[in-house]
mmCIF file of all heavy atoms in Angstrom:
data_model
loop_
_atom_site.group_PDB
_atom_site.id
_atom_site.type_symbol
_atom_site.label_atom_id
_atom_site.label_comp_id
_atom_site.label_asym_id
_atom_site.label_seq_id
_atom_site.Cartn_x
_atom_site.Cartn_y
_atom_site.Cartn_z
ATOM 1 N N TYR A 1197 -13.348 2.770 -2.100
ATOM 2 C CA TYR A 1197 -13.300 1.529 -1.386
ATOM 3 C C TYR A 1197 -12.859 1.784 0.035
ATOM 4 O O TYR A 1197 -12.085 2.698 0.297
ATOM 5 C CB TYR A 1197 -12.271 0.556 -2.044
ATOM 6 C CG TYR A 1197 -12.654 0.139 -3.423
ATOM 7 C CD1 TYR A 1197 -12.315 0.884 -4.519
ATOM 8 C CD2 TYR A 1197 -13.467 -0.984 -3.568
ATOM 9 C CE1 TYR A 1197 -12.696 0.505 -5.791
ATOM 10 C CE2 TYR A 1197 -13.822 -1.394 -4.887
ATOM 11 C CZ TYR A 1197 -13.455 -0.642 -5.985
ATOM 12 O OH TYR A 1197 -13.868 -1.029 -7.220
ATOM 13 N N LEU A 1198 -13.342 0.987 0.967
ATOM 14 C CA LEU A 1198 -12.936 1.072 2.357
ATOM 15 C C LEU A 1198 -11.983 -0.107 2.626
ATOM 16 O O LEU A 1198 -12.229 -1.206 2.240
ATOM 17 C CB LEU A 1198 -14.156 0.954 3.278
ATOM 18 C CG LEU A 1198 -15.237 1.994 3.100
ATOM 19 C CD1 LEU A 1198 -16.449 1.684 3.974
ATOM 20 C CD2 LEU A 1198 -14.683 3.393 3.438
ATOM 21 N N LEU A 1199 -10.911 0.184 3.325
ATOM 22 C CA LEU A 1199 -9.961 -0.883 3.703
ATOM 23 C C LEU A 1199 -10.569 -1.654 4.866
ATOM 24 O O LEU A 1199 -10.694 -1.122 5.931
ATOM 25 C CB LEU A 1199 -8.615 -0.306 4.108
ATOM 26 C CG LEU A 1199 -7.575 -1.275 4.568
ATOM 27 C CD1 LEU A 1199 -7.129 -2.157 3.408
ATOM 28 C CD2 LEU A 1199 -6.342 -0.545 5.157
ATOM 29 N N PRO A 1200 -10.935 -2.929 4.609
ATOM 30 C CA PRO A 1200 -11.607 -3.706 5.685
ATOM 31 C C PRO A 1200 -10.613 -4.139 6.716
ATOM 32 O O PRO A 1200 -10.913 -4.211 7.892
ATOM 33 C CB PRO A 1200 -12.226 -4.859 4.931
ATOM 34 C CG PRO A 1200 -11.383 -5.076 3.724
ATOM 35 C CD PRO A 1200 -10.845 -3.674 3.352
ATOM 36 N N THR A 1201 -9.403 -4.518 6.296
ATOM 37 C CA THR A 1201 -8.382 -5.043 7.206
ATOM 38 C C THR A 1201 -7.096 -5.111 6.438
ATOM 39 O O THR A 1201 -7.092 -5.249 5.240
ATOM 40 C CB THR A 1201 -8.781 -6.406 7.745
ATOM 41 O OG1 THR A 1201 -7.733 -6.934 8.525
ATOM 42 C CG2 THR A 1201 -9.104 -7.391 6.645
ATOM 43 N N ALA A 1202 -5.960 -5.033 7.129
ATOM 44 C CA ALA A 1202 -4.635 -5.062 6.459
ATOM 45 C C ALA A 1202 -4.251 -6.474 6.079
ATOM 46 O O ALA A 1202 -3.272 -6.687 5.382
ATOM 47 C CB ALA A 1202 -3.608 -4.412 7.360
ATOM 48 N N GLU A 1203 -4.963 -7.494 6.555
ATOM 49 C CA GLU A 1203 -4.629 -8.858 6.269
ATOM 50 C C GLU A 1203 -4.595 -9.107 4.755
ATOM 51 O O GLU A 1203 -3.712 -9.724 4.244
ATOM 52 C CB GLU A 1203 -5.649 -9.780 6.881
ATOM 53 C CG GLU A 1203 -5.435 -11.233 6.585
ATOM 54 C CD GLU A 1203 -6.532 -12.111 7.152
ATOM 55 O OE1 GLU A 1203 -7.534 -11.577 7.701
ATOM 56 O OE2 GLU A 1203 -6.463 -13.307 7.080
ATOM 57 N N VAL A 1204 -5.535 -8.507 4.062
ATOM 58 C CA VAL A 1204 -5.601 -8.667 2.594
ATOM 59 C C VAL A 1204 -4.331 -8.124 1.971
ATOM 60 O O VAL A 1204 -3.722 -8.784 1.076
ATOM 61 C CB VAL A 1204 -6.821 -7.945 2.043
ATOM 62 C CG1 VAL A 1204 -6.911 -7.986 0.569
ATOM 63 C CG2 VAL A 1204 -8.128 -8.547 2.631
ATOM 64 N N SER A 1205 -3.890 -6.963 2.401
ATOM 65 C CA SER A 1205 -2.709 -6.367 1.843
ATOM 66 C C SER A 1205 -1.477 -7.211 2.158
ATOM 67 O O SER A 1205 -0.581 -7.354 1.326
ATOM 68 C CB SER A 1205 -2.483 -4.970 2.373
ATOM 69 O OG SER A 1205 -3.629 -4.160 2.071
ATOM 70 N N LEU A 1206 -1.332 -7.706 3.362
ATOM 71 C CA LEU A 1206 -0.194 -8.494 3.772
ATOM 72 C C LEU A 1206 -0.092 -9.773 2.934
ATOM 73 O O LEU A 1206 1.009 -10.102 2.421
ATOM 74 C CB LEU A 1206 -0.308 -8.895 5.234
ATOM 75 C CG LEU A 1206 -0.050 -7.808 6.262
ATOM 76 C CD1 LEU A 1206 -0.280 -8.328 7.686
ATOM 77 C CD2 LEU A 1206 1.366 -7.225 6.144
ATOM 78 N N VAL A 1207 -1.192 -10.480 2.801
ATOM 79 C CA VAL A 1207 -1.131 -11.725 2.053
ATOM 80 C C VAL A 1207 -0.853 -11.495 0.590
ATOM 81 O O VAL A 1207 -0.121 -12.221 -0.074
ATOM 82 C CB VAL A 1207 -2.447 -12.515 2.227
ATOM 83 C CG1 VAL A 1207 -2.515 -13.747 1.333
ATOM 84 C CG2 VAL A 1207 -2.606 -12.929 3.709
ATOM 85 N N ASN A 1208 -1.380 -10.388 0.063
ATOM 86 C CA ASN A 1208 -1.156 -10.079 -1.399
ATOM 87 C C ASN A 1208 0.255 -9.622 -1.688
ATOM 88 O O ASN A 1208 0.627 -9.522 -2.844
ATOM 89 C CB ASN A 1208 -2.131 -9.056 -1.873
ATOM 90 C CG ASN A 1208 -3.446 -9.681 -2.142
ATOM 91 O OD1 ASN A 1208 -3.531 -10.742 -2.764
ATOM 92 N ND2 ASN A 1208 -4.565 -9.034 -1.781
ATOM 93 N N LEU A 1209 1.097 -9.391 -0.680
ATOM 94 C CA LEU A 1209 2.515 -9.102 -0.930
ATOM 95 C C LEU A 1209 3.158 -10.304 -1.684
ATOM 96 O O LEU A 1209 4.160 -10.100 -2.383
ATOM 97 C CB LEU A 1209 3.226 -8.846 0.386
ATOM 98 C CG LEU A 1209 2.962 -7.572 1.124
ATOM 99 C CD1 LEU A 1209 3.640 -7.602 2.507
ATOM 100 C CD2 LEU A 1209 3.392 -6.387 0.287
ATOM 101 N N TYR A 1210 2.605 -11.498 -1.505
ATOM 102 C CA TYR A 1210 3.172 -12.673 -2.057
ATOM 103 C C TYR A 1210 2.423 -13.288 -3.198
ATOM 104 O O TYR A 1210 2.699 -14.413 -3.612
ATOM 105 C CB TYR A 1210 3.420 -13.713 -0.929
ATOM 106 C CG TYR A 1210 4.382 -13.181 0.095
ATOM 107 C CD1 TYR A 1210 3.957 -12.554 1.258
ATOM 108 C CD2 TYR A 1210 5.751 -13.252 -0.126
ATOM 109 C CE1 TYR A 1210 4.834 -12.071 2.154
ATOM 110 C CE2 TYR A 1210 6.664 -12.776 0.798
ATOM 111 C CZ TYR A 1210 6.187 -12.170 1.953
ATOM 112 O OH TYR A 1210 7.084 -11.625 2.830
ATOM 113 N N GLN A 1211 1.471 -12.506 -3.726
ATOM 114 C CA GLN A 1211 0.690 -13.134 -4.790
ATOM 115 C C GLN A 1211 1.599 -13.205 -6.024
ATOM 116 O O GLN A 1211 2.542 -12.439 -6.230
ATOM 117 C CB GLN A 1211 -0.524 -12.232 -5.139
ATOM 118 C CG GLN A 1211 -0.226 -10.935 -5.880
ATOM 119 C CD GLN A 1211 -1.516 -10.197 -6.237
ATOM 120 O OE1 GLN A 1211 -2.596 -10.513 -5.787
ATOM 121 N NE2 GLN A 1211 -1.356 -9.195 -7.073
ATOM 122 N N ASN A 1212 1.339 -14.233 -6.827
ATOM 123 C CA ASN A 1212 2.091 -14.527 -8.035
ATOM 124 C C ASN A 1212 3.604 -14.795 -7.772
ATOM 125 O O ASN A 1212 4.420 -14.519 -8.598
ATOM 126 C CB ASN A 1212 1.966 -13.402 -9.065
ATOM 127 C CG ASN A 1212 0.501 -13.244 -9.495
ATOM 128 O OD1 ASN A 1212 -0.249 -14.208 -9.657
ATOM 129 N ND2 ASN A 1212 0.070 -11.985 -9.666
ATOM 130 N N LYS A 1213 3.921 -15.232 -6.564
ATOM 131 C CA LYS A 1213 5.299 -15.581 -6.217
ATOM 132 C C LYS A 1213 5.324 -17.011 -5.748
ATOM 133 O O LYS A 1213 4.413 -17.497 -5.145
ATOM 134 C CB LYS A 1213 5.809 -14.646 -5.087
ATOM 135 C CG LYS A 1213 5.958 -13.212 -5.560
ATOM 136 C CD LYS A 1213 6.613 -12.360 -4.526
ATOM 137 C CE LYS A 1213 6.763 -10.976 -5.089
ATOM 138 N NZ LYS A 1213 6.889 -9.961 -4.168
ATOM 139 N N ILE A 1214 6.445 -17.639 -6.053
ATOM 140 C CA ILE A 1214 6.667 -19.006 -5.590
ATOM 141 C C ILE A 1214 7.496 -18.924 -4.320
ATOM 142 O O ILE A 1214 8.593 -18.318 -4.336
ATOM 143 C CB ILE A 1214 7.405 -19.847 -6.646
ATOM 144 C CG1 ILE A 1214 6.500 -19.981 -7.886
ATOM 145 C CG2 ILE A 1214 7.738 -21.221 -6.078
ATOM 146 C CD1 ILE A 1214 7.151 -20.673 -9.063
ATOM 147 N N LEU A 1215 6.985 -19.419 -3.218
ATOM 148 C CA LEU A 1215 7.652 -19.358 -1.963
ATOM 149 C C LEU A 1215 8.455 -20.642 -1.741
ATOM 150 O O LEU A 1215 8.016 -21.753 -2.049
ATOM 151 C CB LEU A 1215 6.623 -19.207 -0.776
ATOM 152 C CG LEU A 1215 5.676 -18.027 -0.906
ATOM 153 C CD1 LEU A 1215 4.715 -17.999 0.208
ATOM 154 C CD2 LEU A 1215 6.478 -16.747 -1.039
ATOM 155 N N VAL A 1216 9.670 -20.435 -1.237
ATOM 156 C CA VAL A 1216 10.542 -21.564 -0.981
ATOM 157 C C VAL A 1216 10.353 -22.102 0.421
ATOM 158 O O VAL A 1216 10.367 -21.319 1.386
ATOM 159 C CB VAL A 1216 12.044 -21.158 -1.215
ATOM 160 C CG1 VAL A 1216 12.963 -22.328 -0.995
ATOM 161 C CG2 VAL A 1216 12.219 -20.595 -2.593
ATOM 162 N N GLU A 1217 10.150 -23.402 0.557
ATOM 163 C CA GLU A 1217 9.806 -23.998 1.842
ATOM 164 C C GLU A 1217 10.844 -23.679 2.904
ATOM 165 O O GLU A 1217 10.499 -23.436 4.083
ATOM 166 C CB GLU A 1217 9.671 -25.495 1.674
ATOM 167 C CG GLU A 1217 9.128 -26.224 2.913
ATOM 168 C CD GLU A 1217 8.893 -27.669 2.631
ATOM 169 O OE1 GLU A 1217 8.196 -27.984 1.683
ATOM 170 O OE2 GLU A 1217 9.400 -28.510 3.378
ATOM 171 N N LYS A 1218 12.142 -23.680 2.576
ATOM 172 C CA LYS A 1218 13.157 -23.505 3.580
ATOM 173 C C LYS A 1218 13.118 -22.031 4.184
ATOM 174 O O LYS A 1218 13.615 -21.824 5.203
ATOM 175 C CB LYS A 1218 14.565 -23.712 3.028
ATOM 176 C CG LYS A 1218 15.037 -22.738 1.977
ATOM 177 C CD LYS A 1218 16.469 -23.062 1.522
ATOM 178 C CE LYS A 1218 16.961 -22.097 0.499
ATOM 179 N NZ LYS A 1218 17.003 -20.694 0.886
ATOM 180 N N ASP A 1219 12.437 -21.074 3.477
ATOM 181 C CA ASP A 1219 12.276 -19.722 3.961
ATOM 182 C C ASP A 1219 11.115 -19.502 4.931
ATOM 183 O O ASP A 1219 10.969 -18.472 5.485
ATOM 184 C CB ASP A 1219 12.188 -18.758 2.782
ATOM 185 C CG ASP A 1219 13.367 -18.726 1.903
ATOM 186 O OD1 ASP A 1219 14.493 -19.026 2.418
ATOM 187 O OD2 ASP A 1219 13.259 -18.412 0.734
ATOM 188 N N LEU A 1220 10.266 -20.548 5.031
ATOM 189 C CA LEU A 1220 9.071 -20.442 5.856
ATOM 190 C C LEU A 1220 9.393 -20.665 7.322
ATOM 191 O O LEU A 1220 10.372 -21.402 7.585
ATOM 192 C CB LEU A 1220 8.014 -21.410 5.361
ATOM 193 C CG LEU A 1220 7.533 -21.219 3.928
ATOM 194 C CD1 LEU A 1220 6.527 -22.308 3.555
ATOM 195 C CD2 LEU A 1220 6.892 -19.847 3.739
ATOM 196 N N PRO A 1221 8.682 -20.140 8.242
ATOM 197 C CA PRO A 1221 7.471 -19.328 8.087
ATOM 198 C C PRO A 1221 7.866 -17.862 7.839
ATOM 199 O O PRO A 1221 8.893 -17.380 8.287
ATOM 200 C CB PRO A 1221 6.782 -19.459 9.420
ATOM 201 C CG PRO A 1221 7.867 -19.666 10.417
ATOM 202 C CD PRO A 1221 8.930 -20.428 9.677
ATOM 203 N N PHE A 1222 6.968 -17.154 7.197
ATOM 204 C CA PHE A 1222 7.058 -15.675 7.067
ATOM 205 C C PHE A 1222 6.159 -15.108 8.146
ATOM 206 O O PHE A 1222 5.033 -15.500 8.317
ATOM 207 C CB PHE A 1222 6.566 -15.194 5.707
ATOM 208 C CG PHE A 1222 7.454 -15.542 4.571
ATOM 209 C CD1 PHE A 1222 6.924 -15.702 3.324
ATOM 210 C CD2 PHE A 1222 8.840 -15.707 4.702
ATOM 211 C CE1 PHE A 1222 7.731 -16.018 2.213
ATOM 212 C CE2 PHE A 1222 9.632 -16.005 3.644
ATOM 213 C CZ PHE A 1222 9.092 -16.166 2.389
ATOM 214 N N ASN A 1223 6.717 -14.166 8.917
ATOM 215 C CA ASN A 1223 5.966 -13.483 9.972
ATOM 216 C C ASN A 1223 5.640 -12.113 9.521
ATOM 217 O O ASN A 1223 6.572 -11.317 9.334
ATOM 218 C CB ASN A 1223 6.785 -13.524 11.279
ATOM 219 C CG ASN A 1223 7.052 -14.905 11.763
ATOM 220 O OD1 ASN A 1223 6.155 -15.687 12.025
ATOM 221 N ND2 ASN A 1223 8.323 -15.224 11.851
ATOM 222 N N LEU A 1224 4.392 -11.779 9.390
ATOM 223 C CA LEU A 1224 3.975 -10.467 8.907
ATOM 224 C C LEU A 1224 3.135 -9.742 9.915
ATOM 225 O O LEU A 1224 2.338 -10.312 10.627
ATOM 226 C CB LEU A 1224 3.205 -10.625 7.611
ATOM 227 C CG LEU A 1224 3.851 -11.477 6.511
ATOM 228 C CD1 LEU A 1224 2.824 -11.770 5.405
ATOM 229 C CD2 LEU A 1224 5.084 -10.838 5.983
ATOM 230 N N CYS A 1225 3.283 -8.403 9.977
ATOM 231 C CA CYS A 1225 2.529 -7.610 10.915
ATOM 232 C C CYS A 1225 2.197 -6.296 10.245
ATOM 233 O O CYS A 1225 2.985 -5.732 9.506
ATOM 234 C CB CYS A 1225 3.357 -7.343 12.164
ATOM 235 S SG CYS A 1225 2.508 -6.365 13.401
ATOM 236 N N SER A 1226 0.993 -5.807 10.527
ATOM 237 C CA SER A 1226 0.579 -4.527 9.993
ATOM 238 C C SER A 1226 -0.368 -3.847 10.979
ATOM 239 O O SER A 1226 -1.115 -4.498 11.711
ATOM 240 C CB SER A 1226 -0.170 -4.711 8.646
ATOM 241 O OG SER A 1226 -0.593 -3.460 8.121
ATOM 242 N N TYR A 1227 -0.304 -2.520 11.028
ATOM 243 C CA TYR A 1227 -1.245 -1.736 11.814
ATOM 244 C C TYR A 1227 -1.927 -0.729 10.900
ATOM 245 O O TYR A 1227 -1.281 -0.047 10.106
ATOM 246 C CB TYR A 1227 -0.442 -0.953 12.864
ATOM 247 C CG TYR A 1227 -1.281 0.085 13.638
ATOM 248 C CD1 TYR A 1227 -2.162 -0.314 14.621
ATOM 249 C CD2 TYR A 1227 -1.151 1.422 13.314
ATOM 250 C CE1 TYR A 1227 -2.951 0.599 15.258
ATOM 251 C CE2 TYR A 1227 -1.959 2.369 13.953
ATOM 252 C CZ TYR A 1227 -2.795 1.973 14.943
ATOM 253 O OH TYR A 1227 -3.564 2.850 15.609
ATOM 254 N N SER A 1228 -3.243 -0.695 10.924
ATOM 255 C CA SER A 1228 -3.969 0.167 10.032
ATOM 256 C C SER A 1228 -5.287 0.591 10.564
ATOM 257 O O SER A 1228 -5.908 -0.172 11.366
ATOM 258 C CB SER A 1228 -4.137 -0.492 8.672
ATOM 259 O OG SER A 1228 -5.058 -1.589 8.798
#
Side-chain angles (χ1 to χ4, degrees):
Y1197 295 89
L1198 300 174
L1199 178 66
T1201 176
E1203 177 185 5
V1204 175
S1205 303
L1206 288 175
V1207 172
N1208 280 319
L1209 289 172
Y1210 297 96
Q1211 76 175 11
N1212 299 322
K1213 293 187 178 159
I1214 296 173
L1215 305 178
V1216 180
E1217 187 175 307
K1218 69 176 180 61
D1219 295 334
L1220 298 177
F1222 290 152
N1223 300 300
L1224 309 171
C1225 180
S1226 179
Y1227 170 77
S1228 67

